[in-house]
Amino acid sequence: LLEVIYTDGARKVTVRKAEGEGQDISGVYGHDVTETREWKNGQTVTVCRETENAGEEDSLSIQIAHGGSSWSLFAPDGLSDAACDAFLTAVFE
């Protein structure tokens, strides 16, 4: 398991990668809302949000299976859709 944690002092984002597709390696369970959506090129992305605080500030967890690996991104303080798309673009294109 590879784990990278980024913080700017106020917010924290954790990215993880593990060998083998289909694993939930986020370490975050029990989300209120989970949806699977197709991203670009048929890539399936599972997005989980806590709905305690409505809007873009909800806790966010994303799980992705790609190229024989499982990936996750976790932002406990929320992350905008644009920031999520930027992460997916940077990693998978």
Side-chain angles (χ1 to χ4, degrees), residues 14-88:
T14 302
V15 178
R16 293 178 173 172
K17 178 185 177 187
E19 293 302 314
E21 289 189 11
Q23 303 175 59
D24 179 356
I25 58 171
S26 67
V28 181
Y29 309 100
H31 283 284
D32 295 335
V33 176
T34 300
E35 66 179 89
T36 300
R37 61 173 99 150
E38 193 169 301
W39 189 61
K40 298 176 182 176
N41 302 323
Q43 178 71 46
T44 299
V45 178
T46 301
V47 179
C48 307
R49 288 190 187 267
E50 293 289 341
T51 57
E52 183 175 311
N53 302 311
E56 290 187 355
E57 298 305 311
D58 298 346
S59 170
L60 172 74
S61 175
I62 300 175
Q63 291 94 39
I64 308 111
H66 180 76
S69 298
S70 295
W71 292 76
S72 75
L73 175 135
F74 176 58
D77 299 314
L79 203 60
S80 70
D81 287 339
C84 292
D85 191 55
F87 167 76
L88 294 169

